[in-house]
Amino acid sequence: MKQSLILLILLGCSLSAVAQKTKPSDNPRGLKSAELGAAYFELRTYHCNESKRPDLIRRFRDHTLRLLERHGITNVAYFLPTDSNNNSLTFILAYPDKASREVRWNDFANDPEWKAAAKQSEANGKLVARVDQTFMTMVPELSREIKKSKGKPERIFELRTYHCLPGKLEDLKVRFRDHTRKLFERHGMTNVVYWQTVPRDGTQPKLVYLLAHKNEEAAKASFDAFRKDPEWVKVRDASEANGKIVEKVESMYLTALDFSPLK
């Protein structure tokens, strides 16, 4: 009886030690889809050195995605631009919150397996010339989840970034909430997700969102019809009664890579 009691105590101590060593980064699945609405997102664009993008894609497919997930970082989407002259790769990651981003990214960057994979992939030269990085949070009044395709249709994505005039971001979000998204859907466009940026310099955030289209030709036809829609014209004019809202819009068409969770 005494020996059994001692064994139970020792077993309890061992389990406690294991529990204390377990960190959020030990969860290989990263965030669950239900948690993405409250997540902290990172949009990264890698501008590749000449002829190196295939090597970068291979490194993501064979190593990077798995190692990111090992450290609790969620792979959201991986894209290539449809423009053949654009030698970049854009991807989106998610973290539970802002505080966890540095910890988890540093754990990944210092993982010996990642270092070995990166070194091997760059044996014949560096793959990436420049990295663009944007942090974002989901806009709750515009989207609470990331809408994935229900089937397996081929589609392209459009990444759109709105630079607002000073003090006009909230007006833009109201217009999207009450009118624009519905009108997009009317004209054959799929609302996927809406974010706003988290600027490090204290400037006004930008609105960033993803639409999905059947193809580029369909996308352009949809936007042409949307811009001419009398309801849109009326809504736009009413929302800009006190001045224009948007200073500049940037748009890029993207296709999802085969290993992208969002397709």
Side-chain angles (χ1 to χ4, degrees):
M1 181 72 177
K2 185 175 181 181
Q3 288 179 332
S4 298
L5 181 60
I6 291 172
L7 286 173
L8 286 171
I9 293 172
L10 290 173
L11 178 60
C13 291
S14 299
L15 291 173
S16 176
V18 170
Q20 289 176 3
K21 289 180 181 179
T22 302
K23 303 182 296 181
S25 60
D26 295 326
N27 175 12
R29 296 180 301 165
L31 295 177
K32 297 178 182 178
S33 59
E35 300 172 312
L36 285 176
Y40 188 65
F41 293 86
E42 183 174 5
L43 173 68
R44 296 175 70 88
T45 296
Y46 284 12
H47 300 271
C48 300
N49 286 313
E50 187 175 357
S51 76
K52 293 297 185 181
R53 192 168 69 178
D55 294 329
L56 179 65
I57 293 171
R58 191 175 304 112
R59 189 170 75 187
F60 272 108
R61 180 185 290 112
D62 296 346
H63 303 285
T64 312
L65 271 76
R66 174 174 54 83
L67 294 172
L68 288 168
E69 294 282 355
R70 172 189 292 177
H71 293 286
I73 302 170
T74 299
N75 296 292
V76 176
Y78 286 81
F79 300 120
L80 296 183
T82 60
D83 181 357
S84 59
N85 295 316
N86 187 333
N87 194 34
S88 66
L89 185 154
T90 293
F91 61 105
I92 302 167
L93 305 174
Y95 309 86
D97 49 48
K98 183 177 180 180
S100 66
R101 190 273 169 188
E102 295 302 321
V103 173
R104 297 188 182 207
W105 184 265
N106 286 336
D107 286 347
F108 158 74
N110 290 299
D111 187 316
E113 186 177 348
W114 159 248
K115 288 184 175 182
K119 183 177 180 180
Q120 182 181 18
S121 69
E122 296 182 343
N124 296 314
K126 289 187 70 64
L127 308 186
V128 178
R130 188 178 90 251
V131 177
D132 294 334
Q133 176 189 50
T134 301
F135 292 104
M136 309 180 295
T137 55
M138 200 176 285
V139 182
E141 61 265 43
L142 301 182
S143 53
R144 297 182 182 275
E145 62 180 358
I146 295 177
K147 293 186 179 180
K148 296 187 177 181
S149 175
K150 293 181 180 180
K152 293 185 178 180
E154 291 187 6
R155 60 179 185 169
I156 67 162
F157 295 87
E158 185 178 2
L159 182 67
R160 296 176 64 84
T161 302
Y162 283 34
H163 301 252
C164 290
L165 290 162
K168 294 292 187 177
L169 178 60
E170 292 306 314
D171 293 336
L172 179 64
K173 289 195 287 187
V174 167
R175 190 168 75 187
F176 267 95
R177 183 194 68 200
D178 295 345
H179 305 285
T180 312
R181 291 174 304 155
K182 177 188 67 175
L183 293 170
F184 279 169
E185 297 281 351
R186 174 188 294 176
H187 292 286
M189 297 179 270
T190 300
N191 297 288
V192 179
V193 61
Y194 287 79
W195 296 284
Q196 69 179 42
T197 62
V198 182
R200 292 181 171 180
D201 58 3
T203 58
Q204 179 175 241
K206 303 175 184 67
L207 182 71
V208 178
Y209 64 98
L210 273 175
L211 296 176
H213 310 276
K214 183 178 179 180
N215 51 49
E216 277 190 63
E217 183 179 345
K220 292 170 183 175
S222 291
F223 258 107
D224 284 344
F226 162 76
R227 293 187 184 101
K228 296 173 184 175
D229 188 317
E231 184 176 346
W232 161 246
V233 173
K234 181 179 178 180
V235 164
R236 181 200 62 203
D237 292 348
S239 68
E240 295 181 348
N242 295 317
K244 288 186 67 65
I245 293 175
V246 178
E247 180 180 20
K248 182 176 69 172
V249 177
E250 297 170 339
S251 172
M252 180 186 297
Y253 291 117
L254 304 164
T255 57
L257 282 158
D258 62 321
F259 51 78
S260 175
L262 176 64
K263 291 187 178 67

